[in-house]
């Protein structure tokens, strides 16, 4: 690394506070009662329950979701034996990855013990603390004995990631590369450069997948591992060949797979022609591989190559597996991570690489879809679907092999619960998704040619949320489906409605739209042109005429103009005086709803009351009990300004029309969100705890509050959701992601189901 990058790395670790980890309470600690429950005397109840039944520690403590990342610092990255203290930044980093990618809490434990027995004694004594142990950066051959001893002594999963994590990802890469190269694993010949812990684990797992032992040749810095060699590692002897060959150059000829876990430049370019046709090369020395991909491609374009580097295709990265293996193991209370669980992880990772690419991954890697092929044989680390594929596969294998103390019986429900780690909106959207699945509704998408909509349509079909109707030109949509690697089939899974068509239905749309707007200053020719050229108009007209059940309008064009056009076509509910916009914000502390964020600049008291009631109804559909706060610069009558009086009047109207709704105001935002602060201003409030619906006095206030909160919390917006419409329709903002479109699809589809009911 250069000096600038080194300094940036040091600053990253030092500021704003030293290190990458912290400890945060998961329970409220605001009142005397909270303290009594958390510690003395309430904590005794949890202690007594665990003493009576130790398995309940999972219910009353964090142990069931806590992994120890443990090392003695004897083999840290490429730095070698730098000791436990110097290894701490690496272990903190590993702990952060557990939390980021799988929602697993983790403590890093650096043990000052190089003697295997002393190390094992220290780690085994920690079993009451953890649900699993991730061993890290321990040198061979001691790592073999340490893992075996800890697995024997501990009744929780013990996993040496340097060995088995590498092996799982390598095996997934080999599995897919062999598929692309049309080579059965039973016929493959493998040669290694390196015979340490990781290399042996890789070969052992490939043998478990069907690679014959006799097809394996190991080499290390001293040459070929042959039958007469002394001082071999414990599990090396099974691969010792009866051969006179002593050098890597002597055994490379005819190899189908070269597995490098050794040193830079070990594989010489002149050996490339000696490999078998369509070879597979895994050159994983870091930072410089055994041979560079550009040299391989120049001489062997028929080869598939993977490395350990992120700047080359096919990065073999342990991050693809270890968080999700532990997730599955913890969730079924596995007592170990066995061979079947590792094989299940291999198949899940390999299978994910063959799926259509995810938008998150495409955006992280330059926007190009990563289709299964020679440059994409394993998933990327940022693929949010890894947890959805790997954790259930591991949990199923644990149950199948009898090591799960709490086997997962409903795998569909388990996958749904895991989605909260992949997509932050899952918990909020789950009731809406279930409502949408009760009946397949036809949903029109105005931006049917957009990549994000097409990716969303694939998910909508897979999750049975709706039947997509894509507004757009087949000549654009069909090639895009192929380019994105999607499986949806036009005419089967999705419909394409071409607005430029000349069929009778197009004439109906044009005539109906003319009737709507010709006395609003839009001549018939211009009206028909809009139907053909403005997709939001087309989608809204399809909904108005009953040709679809719901619509998602909005394109990259101006949201306000698109919404105005939709409001011209889809009328409000007869009972509604206005249409309003509600936006949810999912953040680490839960979900807040803001209104009106997009439509009404200065609503009256009557309109604020109407908005509040509509917003409360919408929130109930998420399975959330609404608790509304009418926000103002004034706190409970402190000001007589027009805006404060407006909010007080709105409160009176709401309480008269919906006496059971939890609501209070006018109040400051901190009073709305903190009951203790609120109690200092008023002795009695109809709100209990924090409000989840924040209703503002003006559009400016609501929009500023939403965008400010989004920026500070790095939260995820859901919406805007149109309220008060007579038909199920929303208008997407241009920044809506694929997952956001999926969520909005579920909303309009469930709206439609509710209307039909």
């Amino acid at each position: 690394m250069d000096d600038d990058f080194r300094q940036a790395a040091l600053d990253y670790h030092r500021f704003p506070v030293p290190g990458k980890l912290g400890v945060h309470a998961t329970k409220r600690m605001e009142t005397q009662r909270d303290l009594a429950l958390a510690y003395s005397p309430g904590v005794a109840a949890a202690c007594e329950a665990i003493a009576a039944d130790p398995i309940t520690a999972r219910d009353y403590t964090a142990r069931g979701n806590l992994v120890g990342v443990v090392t003695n610092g004897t083999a840290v990255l490429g730095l070698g034996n730098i000791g436990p203290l110097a290894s701490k930044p690496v272990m903190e980093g590993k702990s952060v990855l557990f939390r980021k990618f799988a929602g697993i809490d983790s403590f890093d434990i650096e043990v000052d013990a190089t003697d295997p027995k002393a190390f094992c004694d220290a780690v085994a004594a920690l079993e009451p603390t953890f649900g699993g142990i991730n061993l890290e950066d321990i040198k061979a051959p001691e790592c073999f004995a340490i893992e075996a001893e800890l697995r024997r002594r501990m009744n929780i999963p013990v996993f040496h990631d340097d060995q088995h994590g590498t092996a799982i990802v390598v095996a997934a890469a080999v599995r897919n590369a062999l598929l692309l190269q049309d080579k059965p694993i039973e016929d493959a010949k493998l040669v290694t450069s390196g015979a340490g812990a990781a290399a042996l684990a890789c070969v052992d797992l490939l043998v478990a997948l069907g690679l014959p032992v006799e097809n394996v040749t190991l080499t290390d810095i001293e040459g070929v591992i042959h039958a007469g060699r002394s001082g071999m590692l414990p599990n090396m002897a099974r691969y010792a060949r009866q051969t006179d060959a002593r050098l890597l150059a002597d055994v490379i000829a005819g190899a189908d797979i070269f597995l490098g876990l050794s040193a830079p430049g070990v594989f010489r370019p002149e050996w490339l022609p000696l490999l078998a046709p369509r070879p597979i090369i895994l050159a994983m020395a870091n930072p410089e591989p055994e041979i560079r991909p550009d040299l391989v491609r120049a001489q062997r374009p028929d080869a598939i190559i993977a490395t350990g580097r992120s700047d080359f295709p096919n990065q073999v990265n342990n991050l693809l597996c270890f968080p999700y293996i532990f997730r599955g193991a913890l969730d079924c209370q596995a007592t170990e991570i066995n061979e079947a669980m590792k094989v299940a992880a291999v198949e899940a990772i390999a299978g994910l690489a063959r799926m259509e690419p995810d938008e998150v991954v495409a955006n992280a890697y330059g926007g190009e879809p990563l289709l299964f092929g020679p440059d994409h044989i394993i998933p990327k680390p940022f693929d949010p679907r890894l947890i959805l594929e790997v954790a259930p596969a591991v949990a199923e294998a644990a149950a199948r092999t009898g090591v799960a103390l709490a086997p997962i019986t409903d795998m569909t429900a388990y996958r749904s619960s895991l989605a909260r780690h992949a997509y932050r909106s899952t918990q909020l959207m789950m009731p809406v998704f279930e409502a949408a699945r009760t009946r397949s509704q036809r949903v029109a998408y105005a931006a049917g040619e957009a990549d994000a909509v097409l990716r969303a349509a694939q998910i909508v079909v897979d999750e049975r949320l709706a039947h997509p109707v894509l507004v757009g030109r087949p000549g654009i949509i069909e090639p895009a489906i192929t380019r994105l690697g999607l499986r949806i089939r036009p005419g089967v899974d999705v419909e394409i409605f071409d607005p430029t068509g000349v069929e009778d239905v197009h004439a109906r749309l044009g005539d109906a739209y003319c009737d709507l707007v010709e006395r609003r200053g839009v001549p018939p020719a211009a009206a028909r042109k809009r139907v053909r050229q403005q997709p939001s108009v087309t989608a809204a007209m399809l909904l108005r005429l009953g040709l679809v059940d719901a619509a998602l309008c909005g394109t990259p064009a101006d949201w306000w103009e698109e919404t105005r056009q939709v409001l011209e076509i889809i009328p409000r509910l007869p009972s509604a005086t206005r249409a309003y916009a509600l936006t949810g914000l999912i953040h680490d502390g839960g979900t807040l709803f803001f209104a009106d964020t997009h439509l009404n600049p200065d609503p009256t008291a009557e309109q604020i009351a109407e908005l509040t009631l509509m917003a409360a109804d919408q929130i109930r559909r998420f399975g959330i009990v609404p608790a509304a706060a009418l926000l103002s610069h004034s706190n409970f009558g402190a000001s007589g300004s027009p805006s404060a009086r407006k909010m007080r009047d709105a409160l009176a109207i709401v309480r008269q029309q919906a006496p059971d709704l939890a609501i209070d105001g006018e109040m400051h935002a901190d009073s709305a969100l903190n009951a203790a602060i609120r109690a200092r201003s008023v002795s009695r409030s109809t709100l209990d705890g924090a409000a989840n619906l924040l209703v503002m006095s003006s559009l400016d206030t609501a929009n500023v509050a939403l965008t400010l909160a989004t920026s500070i919390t790095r939260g995820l917006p859901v919406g805007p959701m149109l309220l008060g419409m007579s038909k199920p329709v929303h208008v997407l903002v241009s920044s809506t992601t694929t997952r956001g479109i999926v969520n909005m699809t579920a909303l309009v589809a469930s709206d439609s189901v509710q209307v039909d009911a």
Side-chain angles (χ1 to χ4, degrees), residues 694-719:
L694 306 180
V695 182
M696 315 289 179
S697 61
S698 70
L699 175 62
D700 280 346
T701 310
N703 197 272
V704 168
L706 170 66
T707 53
L708 184 63
T710 302
S711 178
I712 291 173
T713 66
R714 298 184 181 180
L716 177 70
V718 177

Side-chain angles (χ1 to χ4, degrees), residues 360-577:
V360 173
V361 181
N363 289 343
Y365 293 89
E368 288 299 316
L370 299 166
L371 302 179
F372 178 58
D375 287 339
H376 185 61
I377 58 173
I378 43 179
K380 295 293 186 181
F382 286 102
D383 196 320
R385 299 169 296 179
L386 278 161
I387 194 170
L388 305 178
E389 299 299 322
V390 179
V394 168
E396 284 182 322
R400 190 170 62 249
T401 54
V403 300
L405 297 179
I408 295 169
T409 55
D410 188 342
M411 200 55 65
T412 300
Y414 178 53
R415 287 177 185 274
S416 295
S417 72
L418 288 173
R420 72 184 187 276
H421 299 296
Y423 306 106
R424 286 190 290 169
S425 61
T426 296
Q427 199 69 29
L428 175 67
M429 296 302 302
M430 199 172 293
V432 180
F433 275 43
E434 292 304 317
R437 290 189 183 107
T438 61
R439 190 179 306 167
S440 182
Q441 304 290 75
R442 300 173 76 244
V443 176
Y445 297 81
E449 297 177 359
D451 287 0
V453 168
L454 294 175
R455 288 193 177 101
Q458 180 68 70
I459 298 170
V460 166
V461 169
D462 288 344
E463 297 195 11
R464 299 178 290 104
L465 298 176
H467 182 76
V469 178
L470 306 172
V471 175
R473 295 158 292 179
I476 301 295
I477 293 174
E478 290 171 356
I481 290 172
T482 302
R483 172 173 53 82
L484 297 172
L486 304 177
R487 292 168 283 107
I488 48 174
R489 298 161 297 172
V492 180
D493 305 306
V494 300
E495 297 175 42
I496 298 176
F497 184 85
D498 184 355
T500 65
V502 295
E503 291 83 0
D504 289 345
V505 67
H506 295 78
R508 282 181 59 201
L509 291 183
D511 291 345
Y513 187 64
C514 283
D515 291 342
L516 278 176
V517 299
E518 68 178 355
R519 293 187 180 274
R520 298 176 188 170
V522 183
R528 290 186 170 85
K529 185 177 180 180
R530 280 188 189 178
V531 174
R532 293 193 303 272
Q533 297 184 358
Q534 297 184 15
S536 287
V537 172
T538 308
M541 286 303 301
L542 288 171
L543 177 60
R544 182 181 177 92
L545 296 186
L547 300 174
V548 295
D549 302 300
L552 285 180
C553 298
T555 65
D558 178 72
W559 185 88
W560 299 95
E561 178 60 23
E562 301 260 316
T563 303
R564 184 190 64 78
Q565 292 176 351
V566 169
L567 293 175
E568 285 183 339
I569 297 168
I570 305 299
R572 299 188 304 272
L573 287 166
S575 58
T577 64

